[in-house]
Amino acid sequence: MATTRRGPGRRAAVGLAWVAAATGAVLVLLGALPALQLRHPIAAMATAFVPYGVLAWLVVTLVVLTSRSWRVRAVALLTIPLLALQVAWTRPYWPREAATAGPPSGATLTVMTLSTYYGRADAAQLAAEAARARPDVVVLTEVTEDGMAALRATAWGEMFPNRVGEAGPAWTSEGTMVYSPWPLELLEAPATSDDTYVVRVEAPAGPVTVFAVHVANPQTGFAEWAPDLAVVRQVCERHLGESLVVVGDFNATREHAPLGDLLAVGLADAAEQAGRGWLPTFPAQRLYGPWAGIHYPSVIGLDHVLVGPGVEATEVRAFRVDGTDHRGLAARLTLRDASGAP
């Protein structure tokens, strides 16, 4: 009787372990062989979940180690190293003491970004968040004419009288806008699928080069996704000698090869640098159907604040605004010489 009762449960555990092993194997391959990410949109999207391979190999290892068969338990000689590999890959997401490059100069800058979901983000909430954060620069993506009209009904224009960029028509993603209370100068508009801008901000902390980014996503724009991020990388290389901040919706996580190539030119992820650890931004809210308005737990980080050698992140946080499928980011930065010297 006891054996019969345990049998179905054990079979279910073994079945779960097989599913977890298959999932974990795919995630390991995508993480270890980045070229696979560029073969198909499904591969690119699955790569965003590479950190969750930790859970997959943990399940497999537990099932294997609790087996009565020594032959099955011996499989742990393979699963434990794979679990350790996946854990090592998640190190950038571990909260820790902020990295510093020397005494800060005292010149600080606050940046804020939000993907507005075709201009449907709640304008009043966004304006209230901006009033709390008091950012020197705001980057909004997917801004539409209706979204701009909603912002004009708030105190947005008083807080941010200067702007670069134009709104797009309804249900399009082209509209990227850069707002600031300080003078803005458009330096260039790189050729990406959606609007991106490099601007100089004459902030009290000193002149800052802000690269407002929005690239194609791999689900609906796979052919443009990696080339867009390659353009972003090339532009960043030209501006690394300045106080550079790259901010917006990258439609990529740290595990994606194109974003890894971008970081490799000399940029740092602000959340990691500030010791914030894992900071997922997508999804944020169900926007349609009978459960519209429910806040989802965000599971992947598509939005980022990246900083060049002349900038150091001291604080990064995420925030919610109703009506959009992304969480926003606000980062407090310290400016220093591009060489990293105080």
Side-chain angles (χ1 to χ4, degrees):
M1 295 289 291
T3 302
T4 302
R5 286 196 299 270
R6 286 196 298 269
R10 186 64 191 176
R11 286 196 296 272
V14 170
L16 176 62
W18 276 110
V19 172
T23 301
V26 169
L27 296 178
V28 164
L29 286 173
L30 290 171
L33 302 173
L36 295 177
Q37 304 171 14
L38 308 180
R39 296 287 186 88
H40 195 277
I42 292 178
M45 290 186 288
T47 300
F49 296 91
V50 164
Y52 292 92
V54 170
L55 301 179
W57 290 114
L58 181 61
V59 168
V60 177
T61 301
L62 289 175
V63 172
V64 164
L65 290 177
T66 56
S67 172
R68 294 181 177 180
S69 168
W70 67 267
R71 293 184 179 86
V72 175
R73 291 198 298 272
V75 176
L77 296 175
L78 174 63
T79 63
I80 290 176
L82 289 171
L83 174 60
L85 174 65
Q86 293 271 192
V87 170
W89 282 348
T90 65
R91 283 188 62 84
Y93 297 124
W94 299 359
R96 57 185 180 276
E97 186 176 352
T100 59
S105 67
T108 61
L109 181 87
T110 299
V111 301
M112 193 171 102
T113 184
L114 179 70
S115 176
T116 68
Y117 191 67
Y118 310 112
R120 299 170 71 88
D122 187 294
Q125 289 184 21
L126 177 55
E129 183 65 40
R132 284 191 292 271
R134 299 174 62 86
D136 298 283
V137 186
V138 180
V139 173
L140 302 181
T141 59
E142 298 189 5
V143 181
T144 62
E145 294 168 357
D146 288 345
M148 277 196 67
L151 282 175
R152 283 195 293 267
T154 71
W156 192 264
E158 299 173 13
M159 290 188 290
F160 308 109
N162 302 297
R163 80 179 197 201
V164 167
E166 297 295 335
W171 294 105
T172 58
S173 58
E174 297 96 21
T176 299
M177 306 285 292
V178 184
Y179 291 94
S180 179
W182 319 115
L184 296 173
E185 177 189 358
L186 176 63
L187 300 180
E188 56 180 304
T192 54
S193 301
D194 295 315
D195 295 341
T196 59
Y197 301 107
V198 182
V199 303
R200 178 171 289 117
V201 184
E202 297 296 338
V208 182
T209 300
V210 175
F211 190 178
V213 170
H214 188 207
V215 304
N217 75 68
Q219 180 179 9
T220 60
F222 180 68
E224 294 80 26
W225 172 65
D228 277 359
L229 285 167
V231 170
V232 173
R233 184 188 72 244
Q234 293 161 8
V235 173
C236 288
E237 288 176 329
R238 294 200 295 270
H239 293 279
L240 277 179
E242 306 159 22
S243 295
L244 176 64
V245 181
V246 190
V247 57
D249 180 2
F250 293 74
N251 274 310
T253 68
R254 288 184 56 92
E255 292 68 38
H256 284 114
L259 186 59
D261 292 342
L262 175 58
L263 290 168
V265 305
L267 297 172
D269 183 284
E272 180 184 0
Q273 192 178 67
R276 175 60 175 79
W278 193 47
L279 198 60
T281 59
F282 182 88
Q285 184 181 10
R286 186 175 178 87
L287 303 175
Y288 51 86
W291 298 283
I294 293 177
H295 285 170
Y296 286 159
S298 300
V299 295
I300 56 177
L302 300 180
D303 306 85
H304 305 278
V305 177
L306 309 181
V307 296
V311 183
E312 180 181 310
T314 56
E315 180 185 351
V316 185
R317 63 179 178 84
F319 61 88
R320 290 185 183 273
V321 171
D322 289 342
T324 180
D325 54 348
H326 287 239
R327 293 200 299 171
L329 294 175
R332 187 172 179 82
L333 313 172
T334 297
L335 303 189
R336 58 178 69 251
D337 292 341
S339 64

